[in-house]
Amino acid sequence: MSGIYVHIPFCRSKCGYCAFFSTAAISKYLPPFPEALAEEARQRNGELRSAPDTLYIGGGTPSLLSPDEIARVVTGVAEALDFDPSGLREFTIEANPDDVTPEKAEAWKALGVNRVSLGLQSLDDDELRIIGRRHSADGAVEAFGLLQSFFRNISVDLIFGLPGQTADSWLRSLRRALDLRPQHLSAYSLSFEERTRFTLMRDRGEIAEADERLSEGMYRSLAAMTREAGMEHYEISNFALPGFRSVHNSSYWTGAPYLGLGPAASSYDGHRRRRTNHPSIAAYLRRYGENAADTDCCGEEILTDEELIEEYVLTRLRTAEGIRTADFLSRFGERELQTLLRRAGRIKQSLLRRDADGMALTEEGFFVSDEVILDLI
Ligand code: SF4
């Protein structure tokens, strides 16, 4: 199992909560970008040791690219890495509702896209305005309907704990999103990341973080309503109808290798080596654009044994399957297993379910996952 992630670092405007690397200087940087991506893929051909199973085009806002631009991205990368995009097990593109048109959906489908991740974030117009999204709730619902006539696998994103959001407005957004019958739902609690507009506003006292009890209540209703809708809660923030778990994202949680292309993209070799491209489009184009020069491209990190175990516990416990004893033993040995089991023994069974085969967070444990995972590592 291996995957490719392509980062498209362009957005028309910046949402208040967002810390992802992107720029609004589209006309300056977009024209040479698809060819630079292909050049990076050519230079790094060979890093992924098996043919990719998944391709994920994220960002930023990949959907703002025209059909011609996205085709240059996909064919450039696929030719450089020698794979057929239409033969992938999963090929996802992230889309903003206000970019979705029949022409774009058709172009994505023709390229081999078989899954679209649609960023709804909320289905309340006031909340959408506060977070700086350009679409309306009705516009998002319309975009979903349009995508349905092209794709059988659509994921939607929601955020809870937004400034001004109430338990009722969250329930209304969630209900309306589930009524669309998406195959997959990702729902995240708002976090205040460094250097975002929201963090600045919070520090100036203009907005407040959601009360912990309110957020917990929102998460509980999320778990209950997705269950009623027949979805599996297969990762802390992810829910899917049977057969529609995200293959690409699941590979991040199971330590599979992936190649990340584009500024700020990370790669992992499946063993110890992690590489992160510098978050600068100018530097990226100097390295991979026309007149490419051998300039500094990225940071690299080799994980220690301790970091490998921490990462393993951290990612596996985010999933419903949790940690399997036999797998942990074969990777880290008896001594580390005994340490893990000793620590696990001190955690309440209502939070961490244990049996001879392994351990996993309970639904209750998902609510306080950070604390449980910290206790384990
Ligand atoms: S949330 Fe998405 S659209 Fe908004 S700034 Fe971040 S990457 Fe761009």
Side-chain angles (χ1 to χ4, degrees):
M1 171 74 212
S2 65
I4 298 170
Y5 172 78
V6 176
H7 190 73
I8 306 293
F10 304 105
C11 292
R12 287 209 179 87
S13 54
K14 198 77 189 168
C15 304
Y17 55 87
C18 180
F20 290 126
F21 175 69
S22 68
T23 175
I26 298 169
S27 56
K28 179 172 177 191
Y29 290 123
L30 180 53
F33 189 73
E35 278 65 40
L37 270 176
E39 177 58 23
E40 184 190 8
R42 261 191 298 279
Q43 290 187 21
R44 299 181 63 197
N45 183 344
E47 279 186 37
L48 217 51
R49 300 223 173 80
S50 59
D53 300 278
T54 61
L55 172 60
Y56 191 104
I57 304 195
T61 316
S63 56
L64 66 75
L65 269 57
S66 69
D68 172 59
E69 287 159 344
I70 199 75
R72 277 160 54 213
V73 165
V74 173
T75 51
V77 168
E79 276 171 24
L81 298 176
D82 195 24
F83 68 90
D84 173 8
S86 59
L88 292 164
R89 192 165 154 207
E90 186 181 276
F91 178 0
T92 304
I93 189 166
E94 284 180 356
N96 272 9
D98 52 342
D99 290 325
V100 176
T101 62
E103 294 71 33
K104 285 187 178 175
E106 203 170 331
W108 300 339
K109 197 171 169 73
L111 285 169
V113 170
N114 56 21
R115 181 173 185 272
V116 179
S117 174
L118 187 67
L120 303 180
Q121 315 312 355
S122 165
L123 285 173
D124 178 292
D125 283 337
D126 290 336
E127 291 167 11
L128 287 169
R129 246 191 316 277
I130 290 170
I131 62 182
R133 304 290 287 183
R134 286 169 291 125
H135 61 268
S136 65
D138 287 349
V141 169
E142 217 171 284
F144 185 91
L146 198 155
L147 288 173
Q148 266 184 322
S149 45
F150 291 88
F151 301 98
R152 281 194 55 250
N153 189 355
I154 305 173
S155 177
V156 296
D157 280 8
L158 289 175
I159 304 177
F160 60 94
L162 292 169
Q165 194 175 42
T166 63
D168 278 351
S169 69
W170 165 241
L171 287 180
R172 278 196 302 275
S173 274
L174 184 57
R175 177 78 280 146
R176 203 169 172 200
L178 290 173
D179 284 347
L180 298 172
R181 301 291 298 146
Q183 280 68 32
H184 188 278
L185 167 72
S186 301
Y188 300 96
S189 165
L190 177 71
S191 60
F192 285 78
E193 308 286 344
E194 273 180 50
R195 290 191 292 275
T196 60
R197 184 158 48 82
F198 271 12
T199 299
L200 212 70
M201 290 169 75
R202 181 201 59 190
D203 295 348
R204 289 199 300 243
E206 293 165 10
I207 54 172
E209 285 191 37
D211 174 81
E212 210 172 294
R213 276 220 309 254
L214 176 64
S215 287
E216 196 179 312
M218 289 172 169
Y219 188 74
R220 284 182 195 280
S221 35
L222 168 69
M225 285 168 67
T226 46
R227 194 169 42 242
E228 274 164 32
M231 293 178 132
E232 299 166 339
H233 190 176
Y234 75 103
E235 197 266 351
I236 289 181
S237 307
N238 287 281
F239 307 81
L241 291 176
F244 288 96
R245 294 180 180 201
S246 163
V247 182
H248 184 85
N249 291 346
S250 296
S251 72
Y252 294 147
W253 307 316
T254 52
Y258 54 88
L259 183 70
L261 303 172
S266 285
S267 306
Y268 179 55
D269 72 352
H271 300 286
R272 286 180 185 273
R273 185 171 163 268
R274 189 182 302 289
R275 158 188 162 140
T276 304
N277 287 350
H278 293 320
S280 158
I281 306 182
Y284 188 79
L285 293 175
R286 271 198 301 280
R287 168 77 191 226
Y288 300 112
E290 225 187 352
N291 310 319
D294 192 14
T295 50
D296 188 25
C297 60
C298 48
E300 223 180 68
E301 163 188 31
I302 304 294
L303 299 176
T304 62
D305 287 350
E306 201 177 321
E307 286 167 337
L308 274 181
I309 295 174
E310 283 186 11
E311 188 140 316
Y312 182 93
V313 172
L314 202 84
T315 49
R316 300 301 158 103
L317 276 189
R318 291 187 64 91
T319 67
E321 280 67 37
I323 295 172
R324 300 297 85 203
T325 308
D327 186 53
F328 188 94
L329 182 65
S330 73
R331 287 167 190 262
F332 306 114
E334 184 63 34
R335 212 171 63 129
E336 295 298 344
L337 176 64
Q338 290 311 322
T339 306
L340 178 75
L341 292 175
R342 205 171 45 251
R343 290 174 180 165
R346 295 199 287 259
I347 295 168
K348 285 196 234 158
Q349 286 270 2
S350 60
L351 302 178
L352 187 70
R353 195 177 342 101
R354 296 190 303 279
D355 59 28
D357 293 335
M359 63 185 79
L361 290 174
T362 60
E363 194 76 22
E364 198 62 32
F366 273 158
F367 296 138
V368 287
S369 58
D370 287 353
E371 287 120 84
V372 179
I373 290 170
L374 258 180
D375 284 345
L376 277 175
I377 58 177

